[in-house]
Amino acid sequence: MPLQDFATSEPLTLGVELELQLISTHDQNLVPQAEDLLRETARHTGAWDIKPEIARSMIEIGSSIQREHGPLLAELRDMRDQLVRASRRLNIGIAGGGTHAYQHWSEQQIYPGERFNYLSDLYGYLAKQFIVFGQHVHVGCPNGDDALWLLHALSRYVPHFIALAGSSPFVQGQDTGFDSARLNAVFAFPLSGRAPFVRSWSEFGTYFDKMTDTGVVKSMKDFYWDIRPKPEYGTIELRVCDTPLTVEKAAALACYLQAICRYLIQERPFEPAEDDYLVYTYNRFQACRFGLDGEVVNPQTKQRSRLRDDIVRTLAKVDAHAVDLKSWDACQQIRDSLGEGNDATWLRRLHRTGMPLSEVVETAARRWSGAV
């Protein structure tokens, strides 16, 4: 299949996708009721959508095309409220978070569908270990060349979003020591990581043709890169965020990304280079492992700094753009979270008070619903 043309879209428009956990109200474990919830929400009101994901214990919701923080947040809250009402009718809970705290992959069920069955057959047990939950953010781009420029320019900021969104400290009942253990499951896939350093859509088409000729790749969906182009939408898609515990955090992360993109496009503070990726894996690991306390290396100056401090400096640079985009409140929420800590910190804090993990999961579901 040849690479399709890159669709034109309005620059800096946003789309947000959230993968969500379906929780048993009996033992707070994952529960395979995606089909029931999809039937219950089939006639939802709103321009957003809901669809199945790889496991029967998860769903994905997606916003309509958005431009500003206020309308995006209002739509995410509407999604949440309708989903919560539907889940209560089914006597299940819904939660954010990048991993479930104690589910076991071997007990999970693949959602019946051609692509999900294909992934299960191809990747074996990795498909079930891939039952993790992320937030994806799409940013509109006018053409493929601009999309690839922005994709590579954003590579320096990937650790920001990993650390800010970190909400997966627990895996199979254990504290992993990571703020984002979810990404360790993603990294196991052979086509994960960073996109190749190509700068034009025609050059990317050549790369895509080579990959499809090998038989390794059939479509863009086969790439699990941290940021990937989505030509059918005319966007780039940031994929490194754990699903936050609240829709308010999800909206703030999306609009922080939007402000950074506007800053990069309008001010062009640097030109992306292949050497930017020399420290990419190190910086990404630091963000996954230590969250906001991680250390990052600037690929241009080679200077080291705390990730929290790098975010503070970036917020100062993008504040004026956030004002123009009507998302200053979102960036202020990001600023406030630097002192409060990310969702992984909140989950650990609950557990360290002596709260069992089942109650931690229950409290996280209540937080998603807006009750905490």
Side-chain angles (χ1 to χ4, degrees):
M1 179 185 297
L3 180 66
Q4 64 190 103
D5 293 337
F6 193 92
T8 297
S9 66
E10 181 183 335
L12 300 176
T13 48
L14 293 173
V16 174
E17 298 165 343
L18 299 171
E19 296 165 342
L20 298 170
Q21 307 181 33
L22 305 186
I23 304 295
S24 165
T25 54
H26 170 63
D27 61 4
Q28 311 307 318
N29 208 334
L30 293 179
V31 60
Q33 288 194 242
E35 294 101 325
D36 298 329
L37 186 58
L38 290 168
R39 283 194 297 269
E40 195 70 25
T41 57
R43 297 183 180 179
H44 71 78
T45 59
W48 50 275
D49 69 278
I50 174 173
K51 58 186 179 182
E53 249 298 338
I54 191 168
R56 295 178 63 218
S57 52
M58 62 189 298
I59 57 166
E60 180 182 275
I61 56 176
S63 75
S64 61
I65 298 172
Q66 296 290 333
R67 294 167 179 80
E68 297 176 5
H69 176 244
L72 171 62
L73 178 56
E75 184 174 57
L76 291 177
R77 284 173 169 165
D78 177 55
M79 288 187 201
R80 176 199 64 194
D81 293 346
Q82 293 196 49
L83 285 170
V84 167
R85 288 195 293 270
S87 68
R88 285 173 178 163
R89 292 193 291 270
L90 296 170
N91 196 30
I92 62 174
I94 296 179
T99 56
H100 185 278
Y102 53 89
Q103 66 90 12
H104 286 273
W105 64 265
S106 59
E107 299 170 355
Q108 300 307 312
Q109 302 173 23
I110 299 298
Y111 190 94
E114 183 178 352
R115 177 161 178 81
F116 299 141
N117 290 333
Y118 163 75
L119 292 174
S120 181
D121 291 342
L122 176 62
Y123 291 115
Y125 84 107
L126 288 179
K128 288 188 176 182
Q129 290 205 330
F130 195 50
I131 298 173
V132 291
F133 309 85
Q135 172 179 351
H136 302 162
V137 184
H138 291 261
V139 180
C141 301
N143 57 66
D145 290 358
D146 288 346
L148 290 171
W149 185 93
L150 185 58
L151 182 155
H152 294 301
L154 282 171
S155 69
R156 298 189 185 190
Y157 301 94
V158 161
H160 290 205
F161 292 92
I162 295 173
L164 288 165
S167 63
S168 52
F170 302 112
V171 173
Q172 296 194 20
Q174 301 297 317
D175 189 331
T176 64
F178 281 71
D179 277 17
S180 179
R182 163 187 162 267
L183 283 175
N184 293 329
V186 179
F187 297 160
F189 285 78
L191 297 174
S192 63
R194 47 156 288 199
F197 190 75
V198 295
R199 292 287 300 270
S200 71
W201 194 245
S202 61
E203 189 180 357
F204 185 83
T206 301
Y207 166 82
F208 183 83
D209 290 343
K210 290 179 179 179
M211 291 298 292
T212 54
D213 285 347
T214 67
V216 173
V217 168
K218 294 183 178 179
S219 74
M220 284 298 300
K221 288 183 177 181
D222 294 323
F223 294 116
Y224 291 90
W225 297 328
D226 295 342
I227 314 176
R228 70 181 179 189
K230 292 289 283 185
E232 65 269 35
Y233 297 149
T235 66
I236 57 170
E237 178 188 17
L238 179 75
R239 300 166 50 83
V240 297
C241 295
D242 290 356
T243 298
L245 298 182
T246 66
V247 294
E248 288 78 14
K249 183 68 169 287
L253 287 166
C255 291
Y256 177 50
L257 175 63
Q258 184 189 39
I260 291 175
C261 289
R262 191 176 192 265
Y263 159 71
L264 291 172
I265 291 168
Q266 292 198 356
E267 299 191 26
R268 300 269 172 157
F270 58 87
E271 277 298 313
E274 173 65 47
D275 281 358
D276 289 352
Y277 290 103
L278 291 174
V279 296
Y280 182 81
T281 302
Y282 174 83
N283 289 347
R284 185 175 60 176
F285 169 80
Q286 285 280 318
C288 290
R289 174 67 176 86
F290 302 108
L292 296 168
D293 292 325
E295 176 188 77
V296 290
V297 179
N298 183 298
Q300 189 172 28
T301 66
K302 309 303 186 291
Q303 291 182 332
R304 296 170 179 263
S305 63
R306 293 283 290 275
L307 190 44
R308 180 181 276 104
D309 297 335
D310 199 51
I311 294 172
V312 169
R313 287 190 291 269
T314 301
L315 284 165
K317 293 174 183 176
V318 305
D319 261 351
H321 296 280
V323 170
D324 290 342
L325 292 165
K326 300 181 181 179
S327 62
W328 190 88
D329 287 347
C331 287
Q332 185 59 40
Q333 184 178 341
I334 295 297
R335 187 176 283 106
D336 291 343
S337 74
L338 297 176
E340 299 164 0
N342 58 21
D343 287 339
T345 299
W346 186 85
L347 292 165
R348 284 193 172 105
R349 189 179 299 130
L350 291 182
H351 191 45
R352 286 171 181 165
T353 65
M355 184 181 289
L357 284 178
S358 59
E359 193 172 341
V360 172
V361 173
E362 182 181 24
T363 306
R366 291 177 56 224
R367 191 175 194 192
W368 170 262
S369 72
V372 176

